[in-house]
Amino acid sequence: MEMTLRWYGSKFDTVTLKQIRQIPGVTGVITTLYDTKPGEVWSRERIHSIKKEVEASGLHISGIESVNVHDAIKAGLPERDSYIVNYIETLKNLGEEGIHLVCYNFMPVFDWTRTEVARRRADGSTVLAYTQEAVDALQPEKMFASIAEDANGSIMPGWEPERMEQVKELFALYSNVDEEKLFINLKYFLERIMPVCDQYNINMAIHPDDPAWSVFGLPRIIVNKENILRMMHMVDNPHNGVTFCSGSYGTNRKNNLPDMIRSLKGRIHFAHVRNLKFNSPTDFEEAAHLSSDGDFDMYEIMKALYEIGFCGPIRPDHGRMIWDEVAMPGYGLYDRALGAAYLNGLWEAIEKSQRR
Ligand code: CS2
Ligand code: MN
């Protein structure tokens, strides 16, 4: 595996490439063109320029998170074909710049959903948190406002203000889309992009739905072992792979994370590893990465990745806000750096004990 950190670009991130370069063991960044909208073509020039910027710091681009998929594709609207053409063009431009990993998601309307982005924990840190009760009591339009308020001035990924202004219209697009239809739309999209992925050796890595169940009545499919295996089989190409995100699949306590990892051998192209602490099955918060701070056995998760021969990029996921840092919730420097160091430590121990 290669240890990486997510970086939003110098215009949007409070964390600098220089800081990332100084985290021991981190050699790459996962980045994006944060100001592009879903459906736009990423120009070769812009990709080239961010690549040069990253390389000048002594790091390299290990992958993209995300090239977002336009809602017309997810909802299966007639205009989806032109957006797929654009997506293919973006993939080609990435491939020509030597970038071979693209993380994306297929969640209708919203990306991840949290009901608090700054819940205070006993140690004084603040973390992202979710309660089903809060979602049930909330109008989807209100959700955006409450998230934006606590986001320290940053735009949260997947919660772009322009899209959120149209939340009602976006919901209407999916009025006839159930889970079955969403699977079919995903298949349609993947079948059309696989040829360019084959040509440029691009690994597509779908991010799970977070939380791993339907919210606000919208269909969600990338939620468990059965569904993800169905997706792997329905477009049976190694370039059709997954981002294994422990914190997203792990929202559903029925998901056995090490078992899921083993069943996806050869198809995990990217890993997000983080821990959750459950206060009840429908109330959880994003704990520190350490096993002892949450409910996941991080050693078993890393061991399963090691045992399937995982060799792609891995990154700590959302970190806590600690040491008075002011940053995009989940994406400060300090706690993610601690997470990277911890995951690297687990990996070294696993590697050495298995070699003996
Ligand atoms: C998530 C997502 O992993 C994460 O940080 O919160 O925002 C994720 O980046 C997207 O769903 C991937 O497309
Ligand atoms: Mn993730």
Side-chain angles (χ1 to χ4, degrees):
M1 62 91 170
E2 184 200 22
M3 187 56 68
T4 64
L5 215 74
R6 188 176 192 179
W7 179 68
Y8 288 98
S10 38
K11 255 171 67 189
F12 302 101
D13 211 313
T14 55
V15 181
T16 64
L17 289 169
K18 182 176 166 200
Q19 290 169 327
I20 297 174
R21 172 85 170 94
Q22 292 170 351
I23 306 170
V26 171
T27 51
V29 294
I30 299 294
T31 192
T32 186
L33 295 182
Y34 203 41
D35 51 1
T36 53
K37 297 193 181 55
E40 250 175 65
V41 174
W42 293 21
S43 73
R44 178 104 193 246
E45 294 68 40
R46 289 207 61 199
I47 300 166
H48 187 74
S49 121
I50 195 168
K51 179 179 154 180
K52 287 288 150 219
E53 185 187 0
V54 170
E55 285 173 1
S57 73
L59 296 158
H60 69 109
I61 296 183
S62 308
I64 300 297
E65 178 177 349
S66 314
V67 180
N68 284 318
V69 178
H70 195 275
D71 282 290
I73 300 176
K74 298 183 200 168
L77 305 182
E79 57 272 34
R80 69 176 154 181
D81 290 318
S82 65
Y83 288 115
I84 294 178
V85 167
N86 288 0
Y87 206 96
I88 290 172
E89 188 65 19
T90 296
L91 291 178
K92 179 172 158 275
N93 290 342
L94 287 168
E96 279 172 353
E97 288 297 327
I99 295 170
H100 299 286
L101 169 72
V102 171
C103 170
Y104 70 106
N105 70 74
F106 218 71
M107 285 176 254
V109 187
F110 302 116
D111 189 322
W112 55 274
T113 309
R114 289 293 168 275
T115 51
E116 293 145 82
V117 290
R119 180 187 288 182
R120 193 161 297 276
R121 300 188 83 215
D123 61 6
S125 63
T126 60
V127 296
L128 287 90
Y130 181 94
T131 64
Q132 191 59 43
E133 296 67 28
V135 166
D136 294 343
L138 207 66
Q139 304 274 57
E141 311 82 272
K142 303 269 164 55
M143 177 112 205
F144 171 68
S146 77
I147 295 237
E149 247 164 52
D150 291 332
N152 296 329
S154 38
I155 296 167
M156 302 290 285
W159 293 85
E160 304 78 17
E162 312 83 46
R163 282 180 68 253
M164 290 307 117
E165 274 167 21
Q166 297 161 3
V167 154
K168 281 205 173 120
E169 290 84 338
L170 285 171
F171 266 74
L173 290 186
Y174 293 94
S175 56
N176 293 318
V177 182
D178 59 6
E179 288 178 3
E180 233 12 70
K181 194 82 212 299
L182 198 58
F183 259 117
I184 292 167
N185 295 344
L186 176 56
K187 182 165 186 259
Y188 184 95
F189 167 66
L190 285 168
E191 282 173 347
R192 273 151 195 82
I193 65 167
M194 279 300 116
V196 74
C197 295
D198 291 339
Q199 190 183 345
Y200 289 95
N201 187 27
I202 294 176
N203 285 328
M204 294 301 296
I206 195 163
H207 191 279
D209 303 347
D210 189 359
W213 54 78
S214 159
V215 280
F216 299 121
L218 293 164
R220 293 203 157 189
I221 52 178
I222 309 302
V223 293
N224 57 27
K225 177 172 164 179
E226 185 193 341
N227 287 19
I228 192 69
L229 290 179
R230 172 174 172 190
M231 180 199 159
M232 295 300 104
H233 293 141
M234 82 185 181
V235 180
D236 204 6
N237 179 324
H239 292 124
N240 170 30
V242 315
T243 297
F244 193 86
C245 176
S246 62
S248 302
Y249 283 123
T251 55
N252 184 343
R253 301 311 314 271
K254 291 194 195 115
N255 283 335
N256 176 335
L257 301 174
D259 172 63
M260 286 180 82
I261 292 171
R262 290 195 174 88
S263 73
L264 287 163
K265 185 175 179 177
R267 300 293 275 274
I268 300 182
H269 298 318
F270 183 25
H272 291 175
V273 184
R274 74 173 134 96
N275 200 355
L276 294 179
K277 172 80 191 156
F278 284 84
N279 300 309
S280 84
T282 53
D283 176 334
F284 60 81
E285 54 200 41
E286 297 180 350
H289 285 72
L290 232 69
S291 302
S292 58
D293 197 46
D295 286 300
F296 300 162
D297 188 330
M298 305 305 278
Y299 167 77
E300 288 298 337
I301 290 171
M302 293 300 278
K303 189 157 158 281
L305 284 169
Y306 181 86
E307 284 172 5
I308 61 162
F310 173 70
C311 59
I314 183 169
R315 66 169 185 78
D317 214 349
H318 308 165
R320 302 165 304 144
M321 213 48 72
I322 57 171
W323 302 340
D324 301 322
E325 187 175 16
V326 178
M328 184 193 294
Y331 288 99
L333 169 66
Y334 305 138
D335 200 42
R336 286 189 301 149
L338 293 175
Y342 170 66
L343 298 177
N344 268 330
L346 284 177
W347 192 267
E348 179 180 341
I350 294 163
E351 199 166 41
K352 289 185 172 161
S353 65
Q354 302 238 342
R355 245 193 254 139
R356 240 174 262 131

